[in-house]
Amino acid sequence: MRSLGYLASAEPCCSVALRRRTLRLLNVTDKMIYIIMGVSGCGKTSLGTFLSEKVKTWMAHYPDTKLSDGVLFIWKDIYTDLVMHGSPQLGWPFYEGDNFHPQENIEKMARGEPLTDQDRFPWLLRLHEVIERERSSGSDALLACSALKHLYRQILLHGSTVVAPTSSASLASSPEVFFLYLHGDYDLIHQRMVARQGHYMKADLLRSQFDILEPPSDEENALTLDIRKSRNEMILEVEKHIESLKLLPDESQHLERNKGSCDVTHEFWLPENPSGVDQHQLLCWDTQPL
Ligand SMILES: Nc1ncnc2c1ncn2[C@@H]1O[C@H](COP(=O)(O)OP(=O)(O)OP(=O)(O)O)[C@@H](O)[C@H]1O
Ligand SMILES: O=C(O)[C@H](O)[C@@H](O)[C@H](O)[C@H](O)CO
């Protein structure tokens, strides 16, 4: 039977990341692949590196944590540690799309020539293979890839079928592949590229990237992030959005009903202890089946 773990404590400070990990442990969530997309210099590598360098799994760091019959037990000192030192973080493998370009593409961009569709197709197909491999692995994964056009995103999702001469229809988005679109204006990104040291891609090519950019539509599985924000702010936004996607409608309502007085949007707070166990010891428990 499906069950959902909740976090609670005497203080209303449970982060989404912690709750998400709990849901994962209880097998409620599916794996996700996040593609960080946008024009050159929008911050894909920075955000991807930041996410992937976080602590790998908090279970590994807290060996005393117990998972028994679908009930997750977190002791108070662990909870305090998590609250004091930040939420347990995501720690996903990170693929830098630039590393998959053939050398000719890198040289072309370094000469200041924009890539064509034909230059990009083999590269996108290689990245599609990475995504397929990751889909069948156990953990979530991150990929940074400009993915500027709708067609490119379709290739990432569906591979060569999209570029076959007979193919015309747009294929559906994949629920387990999620685009994080880093959105910013030309001037800001240009400024950051000019300040960036030692990268083959010079700011002169930025205009050509904007020229072909097709931002993801509502039908694509995407979240737009404003690059004027800090990376921490962006990550919170991502977590919050993903949480909302992963909850079934019934579960959302259930959480809403039980949220109590906490008005911080990325926290959930249960007003009472449904298990009757000492709240100082048991900080997370299984709920009744929904
Ligand atoms: N949120 C941010 N605030 C301020 N500066 C940022 C932010 N994100 C990235 N930068 C800076 O902007 C520059 C470009 O970022 P980054 O290299 O991550 O972009 P990118 O999209 O991966 O670029 P490319 O596609 O060309 O490899 C870097 O110098 C980085 O330090
Ligand atoms: O599609 C493209 O034109 C390329 O992927 C570029 O976006 C660069 O690889 C990247 O921006 C590195 O600077």
Side-chain angles (χ1 to χ4, degrees):
M1 185 175 293
R2 263 176 93 88
S3 60
L4 183 63
Y6 288 114
L7 300 175
S9 89
E11 299 154 76
C13 319
C14 294
S15 81
V16 163
L18 178 53
R19 207 173 63 81
R20 173 171 154 67
R21 184 62 66 187
T22 309
L23 296 178
R24 166 78 47 81
L25 288 165
L26 297 173
N27 285 329
V28 173
T29 56
D30 300 313
K31 75 168 276 115
M32 296 280 278
I33 295 161
Y34 303 90
I35 302 180
I36 308 175
M37 61 159 287
V39 295
S40 180
C42 67
K44 302 180 293 291
T45 306
S46 306
L47 184 67
T49 310
F50 189 65
L51 279 168
S52 69
E53 281 176 356
K54 301 280 181 168
V55 180
K56 288 298 173 198
T57 69
W58 68 273
M59 275 296 271
H61 288 260
Y62 300 105
D64 288 341
T65 301
K66 302 259 186 303
L67 181 63
S68 164
D69 291 334
V71 182
L72 182 67
F73 296 88
I74 302 173
W75 300 100
K76 187 164 189 272
D77 55 340
I78 295 175
Y79 178 80
T80 308
D81 196 27
L82 292 171
V83 170
M84 297 296 290
H85 299 110
S87 60
Q89 303 293 346
L90 305 167
W92 302 320
F94 175 46
Y95 296 91
E96 170 55 76
D98 285 348
N99 296 341
F100 293 77
H101 272 301
Q103 189 57 28
E104 308 88 84
N105 284 3
I106 303 282
E107 285 167 12
K108 192 169 181 181
M109 289 186 275
R111 287 196 303 272
E113 293 174 43
L115 299 180
T116 62
D117 284 356
Q118 295 312 319
D119 293 325
R120 290 189 181 105
F121 287 161
W123 167 65
L124 292 164
L125 288 170
R126 286 180 76 184
L127 293 176
H128 168 69
E129 282 168 24
V130 171
I131 292 169
E132 286 300 287
R133 209 171 52 234
E134 277 301 326
R135 269 177 165 156
S136 53
S137 83
S139 73
D140 289 352
L142 287 158
L143 166 69
C145 169
S146 47
L148 297 173
K149 294 185 183 180
H150 176 68
L151 175 63
Y152 300 168
R153 296 189 286 277
Q154 293 263 296
I155 298 173
L156 290 173
L157 296 181
H158 305 290
S160 56
T161 49
V162 178
V163 276
T166 49
S167 161
S168 57
S170 177
L171 299 166
S173 61
S174 302
E176 71 277 29
V177 180
F178 195 85
F179 290 95
L180 303 174
Y181 167 47
L182 297 186
H183 173 263
D185 67 30
Y186 176 88
D187 289 343
L188 174 62
I189 298 174
H190 190 266
Q191 206 180 322
R192 287 183 185 173
M193 283 179 85
V194 168
R196 182 170 66 173
Q197 301 288 314
H199 198 291
Y200 63 82
M201 186 87 170
K202 300 292 175 283
D204 297 353
L205 272 182
L206 183 60
R207 180 56 71 196
S208 69
Q209 298 259 305
F210 271 96
D211 286 345
I212 62 162
L213 174 66
E214 295 167 3
S217 66
D218 291 345
E219 287 73 49
E220 294 181 75
N221 204 6
L223 174 68
T224 300
L225 297 166
D226 181 343
I227 65 162
R228 289 171 301 181
K229 292 186 175 168
S230 71
R231 287 174 305 190
N232 274 322
E233 284 175 304
M234 287 194 251
I235 286 169
L236 278 178
E237 217 173 301
V238 172
E239 287 183 340
K240 195 173 137 194
H241 188 76
I242 290 164
E243 278 301 304
S244 70
L245 289 181
K246 287 193 168 185
L247 291 174
L248 298 174
D250 279 0
E251 290 167 343
S252 294
Q253 283 166 17
H254 187 85
L255 281 174
E256 199 52 44
R257 276 202 304 279
N258 287 284
K259 209 160 68 169
S261 59
C262 178
D263 58 3
V264 181
T265 51
H266 63 277
E267 296 171 353
F268 294 101
W269 168 240
L270 293 178
E272 56 193 40
N273 178 352
S275 65
V277 178
D278 178 358
Q279 188 147 347
H280 290 289
Q281 289 191 324
L282 180 58
L283 295 169
C284 176
W285 60 89
D286 200 61
T287 61
Q288 295 301 311
L290 295 171

